[in-house]
Amino acid sequence: MIFELTATTEAGRRLVGLAETLADEIRPRAVEHDYDGSFPFESLARVKESGFLAAPVPEELGGLGVVSVHDLLVASSRLARGDAALTLGVNMHFAYVVNVLHRWQTAVAEGNERRVGAFGATLEEIAREGVVFAAAISEPGQDLTRPATTATPTDDGWIVSGRKLFCTMSPAADVLYASVRYVDGRGRETYGYALVPTGIPGVVLHDDWDALGMRASGSNSVTFDDVRLPASALRGGFAVGDVAAYAERNLEAGLFHAAASIGIAETAHDTVTSRIAGNGHLRGGRIGDLAAENVVELAACRAIFSRAGSLIDRHFAAGATGDPLVLFAEAQAAKTFVAEAAVRIVDRALALSGGTGYLNGSPLARAYRDVRATAFMHPLGTNRAYDYLGELALGREPVLH
């Protein structure tokens, strides 16, 4: 491939190299897991063993020190070349770890020793224990800033009740970070995150993931049946309906979804053009046109994707003082463009395959199904992203329902 995305830091470059190695190792197993819809436990074990899951944790806290969101995104796109479904779960794990990282960085900058110690201990535990996190955010008929899942206070903690959908990598997760609604000490209805160990009473992981694409992602539904948690299990907190606070906590999450699409599109294009290049009989204007159109859209995807990641890095380097609504819009514009362009790229690659890509078991057939998933992933699904971007462009206060 020409003009690939590249990391901007030395730690990031090492991680990209590791992602490429891992992609080569896990690629052969991706076919069978896609075929039967099973979770690739052995592939995740290899990724975990390599230290990849602790990549965002600073080196002094036991991780690989890749604190650049841009570089994490580039590495994720490389891993997706091997197994996009598994990468989707890895990225949801990253979304949580990066959020903790940013709060640790802010505490360090402010000199808040208590928060530095608390967030630092969490990051150290992630690196030391190899904790695997999965998101439990999506719900039926979802209002994005008002979770239906509730956390009710008890004398010594919380009772969490509700149902979540699309809990990617849940079969292998140690902890689910679940969005919940609760009433805080001032009587304010609040959005928070509950850290729920998967093995405790009341947590039911349903083996019900059976989808068109991303079949090996293990995106099962989860039921919380009056799950009892200690007081320390509830983290974060902002007023229900606060779009700016929601955006601030989800700045990079959508880009992690887009990273998988980038990897899928790059691999599909490279797969088919490599075959055509070696066949002197396959010539003609239409073949060249389709390949050229893919080159153009790949360049555009990489540009907008890289720019959004860099803007987030600059935001946190400057002390996170920028407008989260605007930065979230930049990330969502990038996610939306990549999601739609990647579908077109894969479709052209399939057309260029001359029919071989249409067969089950073909990497192009899997890419055709997998690449369509990004449009449905929050934050934000494509329909809501357009609503959000349109309202912001017209100078109106965006609403996320």
Side-chain angles (χ1 to χ4, degrees):
M1 294 183 183
I2 58 172
F3 302 122
E4 290 183 308
L5 290 165
T6 57
T8 58
T9 66
E10 182 55 38
R13 285 187 282 275
R14 290 195 297 269
L15 186 67
V16 169
L18 175 59
E20 291 173 340
T21 298
L22 290 170
D24 289 339
E25 293 181 21
I26 67 179
R27 184 178 296 111
R29 291 190 288 266
V31 178
E32 60 188 79
H33 288 295
D34 173 77
Y35 186 79
D36 59 19
S38 58
F39 187 81
F41 288 99
E42 62 276 81
S43 293
L44 177 62
R46 176 67 189 102
V47 172
K48 181 178 177 179
E49 176 192 33
S50 74
F52 195 87
L53 295 183
V57 178
E59 288 185 283
E60 62 266 36
L61 298 178
L64 300 186
V66 186
V67 298
S68 163
V69 168
H70 175 277
D71 292 0
L72 287 169
L73 292 167
V74 174
S76 291
S77 73
R78 294 290 210 280
L79 188 66
R81 294 178 184 177
D83 188 337
L86 175 60
T87 301
L88 194 61
V90 170
N91 287 350
M92 293 303 90
H93 167 89
F94 276 169
Y96 173 76
V97 179
V98 168
N99 230 304
V100 178
L101 168 68
H102 287 157
R103 273 148 181 72
W104 177 80
Q105 289 173 319
T106 299
V108 170
E110 294 174 346
N112 188 325
E113 293 186 7
R114 181 186 66 81
R115 288 171 66 84
V116 168
F119 290 124
T122 298
L123 291 169
E124 281 186 311
E125 181 183 12
I126 291 170
R128 182 181 64 251
E129 304 296 335
V131 182
V132 177
F133 292 90
I137 307 295
S138 295
E139 296 175 338
Q142 185 167 32
D143 181 336
L144 291 176
T145 63
R146 185 186 176 87
T149 299
T150 59
T152 304
T154 65
D155 290 340
D156 58 353
W158 303 92
I159 294 177
V160 172
S161 303
R163 180 176 175 232
K164 299 293 186 177
L165 305 177
F166 305 116
C167 300
T168 300
M169 206 163 68
S170 57
D174 300 307
V175 178
L176 301 171
Y177 60 99
S179 57
V180 297
R181 176 169 46 90
Y182 68 99
V183 177
D184 69 11
R186 295 175 291 173
R188 183 182 68 165
E189 199 169 34
T190 304
Y191 184 124
Y193 296 94
L195 297 183
V196 186
T198 54
I200 63 176
V203 178
V204 182
L205 304 178
H206 302 284
D207 184 15
D208 58 2
W209 178 243
D210 185 15
L212 175 68
M214 295 294 185
R215 290 179 49 76
S217 66
S219 300
N220 301 303
S221 66
V222 175
T223 300
F224 299 125
D225 186 10
D226 292 339
V227 177
R228 291 187 171 273
L229 298 172
S232 61
L234 199 60
R235 308 285 179 90
F238 57 89
V240 162
D242 188 336
V243 176
Y246 176 89
E248 190 272 333
R249 284 160 176 78
N250 290 280
L251 290 175
E252 61 282 311
L255 292 175
F256 278 119
H257 295 319
S261 287
I262 291 274
I264 294 169
E266 289 177 330
T267 301
H269 175 74
D270 188 54
T271 296
V272 73
T273 53
S274 296
R275 292 174 183 170
I276 292 173
N279 190 335
H281 298 293
L282 294 178
R283 291 185 177 273
R286 184 56 179 159
I287 290 176
D289 287 348
L290 289 172
E293 288 169 16
N294 271 2
V295 170
V296 170
E297 289 215 289
L298 277 170
C301 283
R302 289 164 175 157
I304 194 170
F305 179 72
S306 178
R307 177 178 180 273
S310 296
L311 286 173
I312 291 174
D313 281 342
R314 285 164 49 188
H315 171 75
F316 285 104
T321 56
D323 186 343
L325 293 176
V326 174
L327 188 55
F328 186 64
E330 292 284 353
Q332 290 303 312
K335 175 185 180 288
T336 302
F337 179 84
V338 168
E340 295 180 341
V343 168
R344 295 191 294 268
I345 291 165
V346 173
D347 284 358
R348 293 190 197 103
L350 186 60
L352 282 167
S353 73
T356 58
Y358 193 67
L359 301 174
N360 274 334
S362 162
L364 289 175
R366 186 168 77 254
Y368 180 86
R369 292 181 283 104
D370 284 353
V371 78
R372 283 164 163 75
T374 303
F376 304 103
M377 297 177 189
H378 284 300
L380 295 169
T382 296
N383 292 338
R384 294 193 192 187
Y386 275 114
D387 289 343
Y388 178 88
L389 295 169
E391 290 296 291
L392 205 62
L394 294 172
R396 300 168 182 165
E397 183 176 346
V399 177
L400 293 177
H401 290 305

